[in-house]
């Protein structure tokens, strides 16, 4: 049979290849937005001044973002893994926004409540633009991104000729987020500001993460070492951090021996959520790389 004619969209058509099961017809000027992830979608929506009425705030490590959300009257939907559908329904949203990582099952449930835009863009700036286009705030997004890019560009000229290693310590493993085409937000910011990583931490493929064992840790041989403890759950309080930094293998790392090792904030580096996070990464670069020579 013939395909059904596309329904005319009275509002705005959110259309981008990364939108799960897009395009989606959304209100021209949404009044009540629920976001279902507490990082990109929440941070970017608040930065763009959107009317967010609900988000999963339970268990966030980014206290600053959480405080901003509560200050603006955002209702807590509970945990990111299991947001309360009852609360979402009670809030009566006219638009639901989130990450495509939430998947098809969530899309099915959410789109029965309100038009739902789940964004799959890996690049954080692309995600920002898709979210902004879907909500009619592209101008504001472009202004914020341009100001960040101008600062990153100015910083590039001041970066010393050093290599920087970054590792995340969790209760169960080490994680190294790579500099490459699929780099996660803060690590894309490092690259954009001209910070060079070690060979082990750089890739030309779409690999995003390595999980080195103790022996491989020696390959984090940068002149400066940033480390992150936990993040995105209670893994910051596990205590393995002390065990790691007192281990002889850790103490043998060149940056540790040189006293060029800095603990950076898990809220910024593991719950990256937009331009404010990007500026905090640039702050760390200015303090520890440019100023720490």
């Amino acid at each position: 049979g013939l395909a059904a004619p596309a329904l005319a969209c009275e509002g705005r058509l959110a259309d981008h290849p990364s939108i799960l099961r897009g395009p989606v017809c959304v209100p021209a000027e949404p009044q009540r937005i629920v976001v279902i992830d507490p990082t990109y979608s929440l941070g970017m929506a608040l930065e763009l001044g959107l009317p967010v009425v609900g988000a999963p705030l339970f268990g966030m490590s980014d206290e600053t973002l959480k405080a901003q959300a509560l200050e603006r009257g955002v209702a807590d939907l509970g945990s990111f893994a299991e947001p309360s559908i009852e609360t979402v329904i009670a809030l009566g949203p006219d638009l639901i926004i989130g990450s495509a990582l939430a998947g098809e099952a969530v899309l099915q449930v959410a789109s029965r409540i309100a038009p739902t835009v789940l964004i799959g863009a890996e690049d954080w700036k692309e995600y920002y633009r898709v979210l902004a286009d879907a909500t009619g705030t592209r101008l504001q997004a472009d202004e914020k991104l341009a100001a960040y890019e101008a600062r990153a560009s100015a910083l590039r000229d001041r970066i010393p000729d050093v290599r920087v290693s970054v590792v995340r310590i969790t209760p169960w493993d080490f994680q190294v987020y790579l500099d490459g085409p699929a780099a996660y937000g803060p690590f894309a910011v490092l690259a954009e500001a001209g910070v060079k990583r070690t060979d082990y931490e750089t890739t030309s493929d779409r690999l995003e993460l390595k999980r080195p064992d103790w022996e491989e840790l020696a390959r984090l041989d940068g002149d400066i070492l940033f480390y992150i403890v936990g993040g995105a759950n209670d893994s910051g309080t596990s205590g393995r951090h002390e065990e790691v930094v007192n281990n002889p293998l850790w103490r043998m790392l060149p940056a540790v021996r040189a006293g060029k090792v800095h603990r950076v904030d898990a809220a910024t580096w593991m719950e990256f959520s937009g331009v404010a996070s990007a500026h905090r990464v640039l702050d760390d670069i200015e303090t520890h790389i440019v100023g720490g020579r």
Side-chain angles (χ1 to χ4, degrees):
L2 294 171
L7 291 172
C9 178
E10 302 268 308
R12 170 184 292 105
L13 203 60
D15 190 7
H16 186 270
S18 78
I19 295 174
L20 193 59
R21 298 243 176 256
V24 181
C25 183
V26 301
E29 288 187 24
Q31 302 299 309
R32 299 181 65 76
I33 297 176
V34 161
V35 297
I36 55 174
D37 71 81
T39 50
Y40 282 8
S41 301
L42 177 61
M44 294 173 186
L46 291 182
E47 283 177 3
L48 294 170
L50 291 168
V52 179
V53 294
L57 305 177
F58 179 78
M60 285 173 68
S61 27
D62 190 339
E63 293 298 334
T64 310
L65 182 58
K66 185 176 182 175
Q68 279 173 3
L70 292 171
E71 208 173 281
R72 296 212 208 163
V74 176
D76 184 4
L77 306 179
S79 87
F80 166 53
E82 288 183 67
S84 161
I85 298 298
E86 292 75 18
T87 308
V88 175
I89 293 168
L91 287 168
D94 57 2
L95 178 61
I96 296 173
I97 293 175
S99 161
L101 293 173
E104 292 276 353
V106 169
L107 179 63
Q108 298 252 324
V109 175
S111 52
R112 290 195 194 112
I113 303 168
T116 300
V117 177
L118 298 186
I119 304 166
E122 278 177 349
D123 176 282
W124 73 274
K125 292 196 285 185
E126 187 67 10
Y127 196 109
Y128 215 117
R129 292 184 189 107
V130 175
L131 192 152
D133 281 340
T135 54
T137 51
R138 180 63 185 262
L139 201 63
Q140 294 92 310
D142 285 346
E143 280 173 7
K144 288 182 185 298
L145 288 169
Y148 149 75
E149 283 165 357
R151 184 182 171 201
S153 173
L155 200 50
R156 241 189 332 262
D157 302 330
R158 298 166 54 208
I159 298 289
D161 185 20
V162 295
R163 296 201 304 170
V164 176
S165 288
V166 191
V167 62
R168 178 191 188 196
I169 301 169
T170 78
W172 51 87
D173 67 356
F174 296 114
Q175 297 174 5
V176 173
Y177 286 80
L178 305 179
D179 177 358
Y184 170 48
F187 304 93
V189 172
L190 282 181
E192 196 164 7
V195 173
K196 288 190 221 41
R197 306 279 296 282
T198 66
D199 293 347
Y200 177 76
E201 298 166 78
T202 309
T203 183
S204 55
D205 62 24
R206 303 204 59 77
L207 190 66
E208 188 189 352
L209 182 67
K210 285 181 180 174
R211 298 177 189 269
D213 57 21
W214 270 107
E215 279 62 41
E216 274 183 296
L217 210 60
R219 305 202 43 200
L220 300 178
D221 55 0
D223 305 286
I224 296 170
L225 174 66
F226 285 179
Y227 72 96
I228 303 148
V229 178
N233 49 34
D234 62 357
S235 57
T237 57
S238 76
R240 190 170 93 101
H241 153 231
E242 286 77 14
E243 177 198 320
V244 169
V245 298
N246 290 314
N247 187 296
L249 290 168
W250 175 270
R251 292 181 158 183
M252 280 163 60
L253 294 173
V256 178
R257 285 208 307 268
K260 303 262 185 185
V261 54
H262 308 281
R263 179 175 175 175
V264 289
D265 183 22
T268 297
W269 289 78
M270 288 286 89
E271 288 189 344
F272 188 90
S273 59
V275 167
S277 298
H279 279 293
R280 290 202 295 264
V281 172
L282 296 181
D283 292 343
D284 283 339
I285 294 171
E286 285 195 321
T287 304
H288 302 307
I289 300 175
V290 175
R293 282 191 270 186

